[in-house]
Amino acid sequence: MAQYSRVRGSVALLRLTNPPVNALSAAVSRDLERAVRSACADSAVRVLVLRGHGGTFCGGADIRELAGLVDVPFRVGVSSLVALVDAVEAAEKPVVAAIEGVALGGGLELALGCHFRIAHGQARLGLPEVTLGLLPAAGGTQRLPRLVGFPAALELVATGRDVSAEEALALGLVDHVTDGDVEEAAVEFARRVADEPLASRRLSTRPPPRPADLDTLLQVALERAQRRARGALAPVACVQAVRAAATLPFTQGLQLEQELMAALLPSNQARAMQYCFFAQRIVGKWSLPGGANWRNSPARAVSRAAVIGLGTMGRGIAVSLVRAGIPVVAMETDEKQLRVVTAMLEREAAKQRRSPDSYLQLVQFTLERRDLGDADLVVEAVFEDLALKKRLFAELSSSCRPDTLLCSNTSALDVDALAAATRRPELVVGMHFFAPAHVMKLLEVVCGARSSPVAVATAMQLGKRLGKVSVAVANCPGFAGNRMLKPYVEQASFLLEEGATPQQVDAVLEDFGFAMGVFRMSDLSGLDVGWRVREEAGLAGPTVPPGESARRRHGCRYSPLADLLCEHGRLGQKTGRGWYLYEGPGGRAATPDPWLHDFLDQYRRRHGLRPRRIDQQEVLERCLYALANEGFRILEEGVAAGPEDIDTIYVLGYGWPAHRGGPMYHVAAVGLPAVLSRLEHFRRLHPDVPQLRPSALLRHLVAEGSPPISRWRELLKGLRSQL
Ligand SMILES: CC/C=C/CC(=O)SCCNC(=O)CCNC(=O)[C@H](O)C(C)(C)COP(=O)(O)OP(=O)(O)OC[C@H]1O[C@@H](n2cnc3c(N)ncnc32)[C@H](O)[C@@H]1OP(=O)(O)O
């Protein structure tokens, strides 16, 4: 796990070995500590270099131990890591960290215990513990501000953002960056500093910097963390721990860090976030009914891509591809959109500290379909109209290379219908990006009935290359994410009919932790999007069969409220009014609109609906349980392979709070029998709402004694699977 060998006579080279990411389990930490002590005791050694095996320094403490997934009490893991970092820092001989790949979490804390840090130019460094519902508890919150100052330390610890080697150098987090061999550079560096005094290099003994405005800075950071946390405990605890570095001596700061960690570690929030971490890895292990899977189906290389349509989605997709270094041919007729995407690329280049040209030269704009001919993969991102897309796919099928993958960014339309329009249905898949596509981390890869393993593998792999988490789902209207959104939005509308207001419903959902309540979200994405879909489905507008009553469709309850707002020209933020009022078209600040309240009153009177007081619990249960119930149906039909897929989609694509794990994790945590009983209750009250009828899978799981969510995937294998 950790050995040392002597190089160049007096340098002890310690190699941390625990593939795949050299995680610091309790045993590995203890082993490394022993190796450090032996090297220090070796009289032939003057200086130590610490590196990781296999191109990675260290991915941090072993999350499986922290999450209680292996049989090691988490306190043992924490204390072993603390002891290791302390021993490294206390060493009487200089210790140089040679960082390549990543130094994350406990890995960076270990590097902070070293007296010097050398990084490879491609390395990334950070303290992502907050994303696991934790804080850095091996002295990271106390050492980091002493090294890089409070503003940077507060930001890095509270957000979990990782930094490039270049930024780390600018912050003072590392002493030197090399693009050559990091071990060689570190050994060379170590020989130069072998005789340097170490007192000032031990961060625990350094006085923290004290800028004049420190108190204000700490107060602002705490308030910001509280505001942004949306109920999550860890970001606030992170700021409290870093603040202790300003007010307490090192050992007392460390003590507070440990106490905060002891409170976070066993919390439900930390459990939920660690579940999310592993869920996001599980979803990469896809399989198809024929036996093809992530292991046996290699992806095809994508060295050139094409994007058709540079509207909101297309331009985000183009930027993502360019940022990943993939040359893009972008087809768009509207010159305004070309200017927008050029400006976006310039901004992105500046953010990545790259020259604008390095990005712009990767894009070729075109009006000609023949210019797409050479692409390995085409992503279509035109208007959401099935006939238009089918025509386009038929044309692409004749004009592109026979092996080019044809992908659609549709958010709900039938991928099999698109495939059937081509002469290569096996090379057609859905690649459903989420807006803004260069920011959102989720990609739904929609596997059509005829999509080949290579098409699925390539789309999944491309998502990863773009820095996204790819989730494979089967083809059905709305796929997994948007399909589950429908009953959720419907319940919210029914609640308005029954007496709630948009701000009441949104406040409950935002208190739960959603980034945005359902009505604010709908205003942001535009009410006309759903209106068009409902018109196509014969639910709204001229396609509704004559004689159908306003509040019923196909014998079931229907709320026409959103359609009525659209008919009044209230399309959301873009028109300056929707469920809320905005400063003007394109405005962002939502305020309650008296017009809307009058409109709701009149609507209720017109339909003989007597408004009643609706409490928070009913809002939450009806919206969230209806959504999760659809999730069970999706699992039952094999549209998604397991609860982890659904939860990943909701956390990364729909603003579901990670500290609540995702919709399926949430209902499992509430308790399946309780959820079933509430759904049955609501179903009795609303017999004309089929979405409230508990799914067969939910009933089955309850009948089986509510097995833990970690077992559902296995149980589902016995059911009908499309994946
Ligand atoms: C005092 C105690 C406090 C300590 C605090 C901590 O240190 S908490 C841990 C902080 N570290 C992290 O949050 C890093 C988590 N890991 C990652 O971000 C990424 O895995 C990576 C290191 C950047 C590597 O990414 P890559 O895409 O190359 O690989 P995968 O993400 O697919 O991971 C490969 C497998 O490794 C498992 N794994 C990764 N990190 C850890 C870890 N710290 N502990 C345990 N296991 C880890 C991951 O689960 C993958 O394995 P699977 O079997 O496929 O699930």
Side-chain angles (χ1 to χ4, degrees):
M1 297 198 216
Q3 319 124 348
Y4 91 86
S5 55
R6 284 227 319 278
V7 292
R8 308 261 207 107
S10 59
V11 180
L13 181 66
L14 291 109
R15 191 182 290 266
L16 167 61
T17 306
N18 187 17
V21 301
N22 300 326
L24 290 161
S25 62
V28 169
S29 293
R30 280 196 300 265
D31 209 39
L32 182 56
E33 187 190 336
R34 266 195 298 273
V36 168
R37 290 190 190 281
S38 318
C40 286
D42 184 341
S43 58
V45 168
R46 285 174 60 215
V47 57
L48 287 71
V49 167
L50 173 57
R51 69 166 302 182
H53 166 85
T56 280
F57 182 72
C58 174
D62 189 329
I63 302 170
R64 286 165 314 153
E65 278 181 11
L66 298 175
L69 301 177
V70 290
D71 201 14
V72 174
F74 56 75
R75 280 180 216 288
V76 176
V78 174
S79 58
S80 315
L81 183 49
V82 171
L84 166 65
V85 177
D86 288 351
V88 168
E89 193 190 61
E92 292 298 338
K93 297 174 183 179
V95 186
V96 180
I99 300 170
E100 58 185 333
V102 295
L104 294 175
L108 181 56
E109 293 182 289
L110 174 60
L112 289 171
C114 296
H115 308 113
F116 301 93
R117 286 156 291 278
I118 308 294
H120 186 267
Q122 297 298 316
R124 301 214 57 97
L125 300 88
L127 294 171
E129 285 86 343
V130 70
T131 64
L132 298 166
L134 303 175
L135 53 67
T141 64
Q142 305 305 296
R143 288 192 177 90
L144 189 65
R146 286 172 160 84
L147 183 62
V148 303
F150 282 96
L154 285 164
E155 194 255 323
L156 294 181
V157 176
T159 64
R161 180 174 76 87
D162 58 36
V163 297
S164 64
E166 192 190 358
E167 189 178 348
L169 186 64
L171 288 171
L173 183 54
V174 297
D175 301 289
H176 177 69
V177 173
T178 176
D179 284 324
D181 184 305
V182 75
E183 180 183 308
E184 242 170 59
V187 169
E188 207 41 58
F189 185 94
R191 283 159 60 89
R192 281 204 304 277
V193 298
D195 296 320
E196 277 199 18
L198 293 180
S200 67
R201 305 296 311 183
R202 294 194 177 101
L203 296 176
S204 66
T205 60
R206 244 189 225 186
R210 291 205 168 277
D213 58 349
L214 184 57
D215 289 345
T216 317
L217 199 106
L218 294 168
Q219 188 54 33
V220 169
L222 189 63
E223 285 164 10
R224 186 184 303 129
Q226 277 160 343
R227 208 174 40 249
R228 291 189 180 166
R230 294 188 269 121
L233 303 169
V236 178
C238 283
V239 174
Q240 287 169 334
V242 175
R243 189 174 61 173
T247 52
L248 299 174
F250 184 82
T251 43
Q252 286 178 34
L254 210 57
Q255 174 72 28
L256 182 80
E257 184 191 85
Q258 292 290 312
E259 284 166 17
L260 289 165
M261 179 66 150
L264 291 176
L265 249 176
S267 69
N268 290 336
Q269 293 198 359
R271 290 274 175 268
M273 294 180 92
Q274 288 153 21
Y275 161 83
C276 288
F277 173 85
F278 289 110
Q280 288 168 25
R281 269 104 200 134
I282 288 172
V283 298
K285 299 177 169 92
W286 58 272
S287 61
L288 296 176
N293 63 42
W294 62 286
R295 251 193 252 272
N296 62 20
S297 307
R300 190 175 288 163
V302 177
S303 40
R304 195 173 172 77
V307 177
I308 305 180
L310 291 180
T312 310
M313 293 310 297
R315 51 185 184 247
I317 298 169
V319 169
S320 294
L321 288 161
V322 166
R323 216 172 33 196
I326 301 172
V328 175
V329 186
M331 194 168 139
E332 170 61 63
T333 47
D334 182 350
E335 264 192 45
K336 198 177 86 207
Q337 307 288 30
L338 304 189
R339 284 195 297 277
V340 178
V341 83
T342 303
M344 275 171 78
L345 285 167
E346 286 169 348
R347 270 199 306 277
E348 276 302 308
K351 257 198 239 160
Q352 309 295 327
R353 300 173 193 226
R354 306 279 300 270
S355 74
D357 270 356
S358 66
Y359 278 6
L360 293 174
Q361 72 194 8
L362 288 178
V363 189
Q364 178 201 338
F365 295 115
T366 185
L367 292 170
E368 305 292 335
R369 195 154 297 127
R370 64 168 178 270
D371 290 337
L372 312 180
D374 207 23
D376 299 308
L377 175 145
V378 179
V379 185
E380 161 280 305
V382 302
F383 196 65
E384 201 69 341
D385 173 333
L386 186 62
L388 171 70
K389 285 182 194 267
K390 276 165 71 173
R391 263 197 319 277
L392 185 57
F393 269 69
E395 287 164 12
L396 289 171
S397 163
S398 338
S399 60
C400 289
R401 251 177 25 212
D403 62 341
T404 298
L405 248 69
L406 304 180
C407 309
S408 172
N409 177 53
T410 177
S411 59
L413 298 176
D414 184 353
V415 170
D416 289 337
L418 299 181
T422 73
R423 277 180 258 142
R424 59 182 90 177
E426 73 287 358
L427 291 183
V428 175
V429 281
M431 285 184 85
H432 177 206
F433 290 82
F434 288 71
H438 60 304
V439 176
M440 297 293 281
K441 281 203 60 149
L442 177 67
L443 176 69
E444 260 186 331
V445 171
V446 186
C447 312
R450 296 171 70 184
S451 302
S452 63
V454 71
V456 174
T458 306
M460 293 291 288
Q461 176 61 35
L462 180 62
K464 183 155 185 173
R465 195 169 156 198
L466 302 186
K468 308 202 180 295
V469 177
S470 314
V471 184
V473 294
N475 182 37
C476 70
F479 318 131
N482 283 342
R483 175 170 157 183
M484 287 170 67
L485 206 58
K486 191 168 168 272
Y488 167 74
V489 173
E490 250 172 30
Q491 284 305 313
S493 261
F494 293 157
L495 287 163
L496 295 193
E497 293 186 338
E498 292 165 36
T501 62
Q503 53 274 27
Q504 183 197 352
V505 174
D506 281 353
V508 172
L509 295 169
E510 287 163 20
D511 266 5
F512 178 78
F514 271 99
M516 237 180 242
V518 56
F519 293 109
R520 287 214 296 138
M521 185 184 75
S522 159
D523 274 357
L524 172 71
S525 43
L527 272 71
D528 50 329
V529 181
W531 191 29
R532 224 176 300 123
V533 175
R534 290 190 296 276
E535 280 196 339
E536 265 201 28
L539 296 170
T543 53
V544 177
E548 188 76 290
S549 101
R551 295 184 51 244
R552 293 196 84 71
R553 296 289 182 272
H554 311 300
C556 301
R557 180 172 174 185
Y558 178 80
S559 170
L561 282 172
D563 304 333
L564 294 172
L565 289 202
C566 291
E567 285 166 19
H568 279 90
R570 300 179 67 107
L571 305 184
Q573 288 188 3
K574 63 175 108 169
T575 55
R577 56 196 65 203
W579 297 106
Y580 292 93
L581 191 61
Y582 297 86
E583 314 89 280
R588 295 278 180 93
T591 47
D593 187 351
W595 180 92
L596 198 269
H597 296 144
D598 285 349
F599 162 81
L600 285 176
D601 281 344
Q602 286 171 27
Y603 173 88
R604 291 180 196 121
R605 270 201 296 276
R606 196 163 57 247
H607 293 286
L609 296 162
R610 199 128 44 107
R612 61 185 174 90
R613 234 193 112 261
I614 297 170
D615 64 20
Q616 293 191 359
Q617 191 186 348
E618 180 174 350
V619 173
L620 260 194
E621 290 182 343
R622 277 179 60 186
C623 292
L624 302 190
Y625 294 174
L627 179 136
N629 195 35
E630 194 62 29
F632 282 115
R633 292 207 175 98
I634 281 174
L635 293 177
E636 200 172 286
E637 292 169 23
V639 168
E644 297 86 356
D645 302 65
I646 291 179
D647 288 335
T648 298
I649 288 173
Y650 261 78
V651 168
L652 297 183
Y654 293 85
W656 185 286
H659 63 270
R660 295 197 188 260
M664 308 321 285
Y665 183 91
H666 176 67
V667 291
V670 169
L672 298 185
V675 173
L676 174 60
S677 132
R678 294 304 285 162
L679 276 169
E680 277 168 340
H681 165 77
F682 292 128
R683 169 71 173 162
R684 276 194 297 276
L685 295 178
H686 308 278
D688 52 355
V689 180
Q691 283 84 358
L692 293 172
R693 190 182 65 240
S695 72
L697 178 60
L698 172 58
R699 288 188 186 287
H700 173 72
L701 289 171
V702 171
E704 290 291 304
S706 303
I709 195 164
S710 55
R711 283 198 45 223
W712 296 6
R713 206 174 188 84
E714 208 46 50
L715 293 171
L716 286 165
K717 285 195 178 138
L719 297 178
R720 184 159 70 101
S721 173
Q722 299 180 54
L723 287 168

